[in-house]
């Protein structure tokens, strides 16, 4: 919710940002990072959806929402590689602990954070650039029944999100 609303406000479209961020939050609410499972990156999904809906050529929100969800879902592949690479940082921490008796936590944390943020930003930029061009060119050429179908599916998104929320609130 936060990233969509903030980005939408910065871009002059707070309602669009809140709508897309809220819908993505509701639909991914039960996708938790348990065990080896890497969930959909809701922050990247919301950012991509807002950028696609508010930028040029300005996709309708009914197309920006699934495109943003795709961006957040596809980032899991990169996240898997980033987690694999962080194993080297753990090894460096273990070596430092053995050598000096202390771990340079701040330096290791800052490096991991910088790598994660840099990769996420580069991925978001590339994804929005490519999807903006491809979907912007394809959208007007799609048959009307596909555009209308995405519009109907978008109308169902709040209900699906609320069903997810109710499922999470249900006592177990």
């Amino acid at each position: 919710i936060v990233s969509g609303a903030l980005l939408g406000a910065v871009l002059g479209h707070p309602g669009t940002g809140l709508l897309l961020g809220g819908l993505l939050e509701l639909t991914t609410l039960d996708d938790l990072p348990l065990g080896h499972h890497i969930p959909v990156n809701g922050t990247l999904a919301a950012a991509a959806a807002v950028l696609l809906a508010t930028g040029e050529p300005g996709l309708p929100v009914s197309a920006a929402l699934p495109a943003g969800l795709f961006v957040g879902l596809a980032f899991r592949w990169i996240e898997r590689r980033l987690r694999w690479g962080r194993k080297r940082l753990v090894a460096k921490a273990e070596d430092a602990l053995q050598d000096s008796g202390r771990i340079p936590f701040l330096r290791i944390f800052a490096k991991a954070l910088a790598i994660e943020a840099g990769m996420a930003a580069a991925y978001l930029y590339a994804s929005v650039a490519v999807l903006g061009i491809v979907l912007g060119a394809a959208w007007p050429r799609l048959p009307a029944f596909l555009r209308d179908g995405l519009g109907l599916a978008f109308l169902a998104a709040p209900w699906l999100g609320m069903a997810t929320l109710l499922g999470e609130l249900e006592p177990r």
Side-chain angles (χ1 to χ4, degrees):
I1 295 176
V2 174
S3 64
L6 283 177
L7 187 57
V10 167
L11 296 174
H13 300 277
T16 302
L18 186 60
L19 174 68
L20 290 168
L23 287 174
L24 284 161
E25 178 68 27
L26 285 173
T27 55
T28 61
L29 187 64
D30 63 345
D31 194 11
L32 301 174
L34 301 173
H36 286 281
H37 174 70
I38 300 173
V40 172
N41 189 313
T43 303
L44 288 178
V50 171
L51 288 169
L52 289 168
T54 60
E56 288 297 325
L59 290 175
V61 290
S62 59
L65 180 70
L69 196 54
F70 171 76
V71 168
L73 185 66
F75 188 73
R76 295 188 316 176
W77 182 85
I78 294 171
E79 181 65 31
R80 217 173 265 115
R81 269 99 193 129
L82 289 171
R83 289 183 182 191
W84 184 261
R86 281 195 288 266
K87 287 181 180 182
R88 288 189 298 260
L89 296 177
V90 172
K92 286 182 181 181
E94 289 173 347
D95 291 344
L97 186 60
Q98 286 179 352
D99 294 343
S100 66
R102 58 184 287 275
I103 299 173
F105 180 74
L106 186 59
R107 185 176 41 197
I108 291 172
F109 180 71
K111 183 175 182 176
L113 193 60
I115 292 169
E116 181 84 23
M119 289 299 292
Y123 171 76
L124 178 63
Y125 177 79
S127 297
V128 170
V130 170
L131 286 174
I133 292 168
V134 171
L135 293 177
W139 184 256
R141 292 175 177 82
L142 286 176
F145 74 91
L146 286 177
R147 291 192 309 259
D148 293 343
L150 267 175
L152 287 174
F154 181 77
L155 293 176
W159 298 104
L160 294 171
M162 289 304 294
T164 303
L165 178 62
L166 289 174
E168 287 300 307
L169 294 175
E170 181 182 333
R172 299 185 199 267

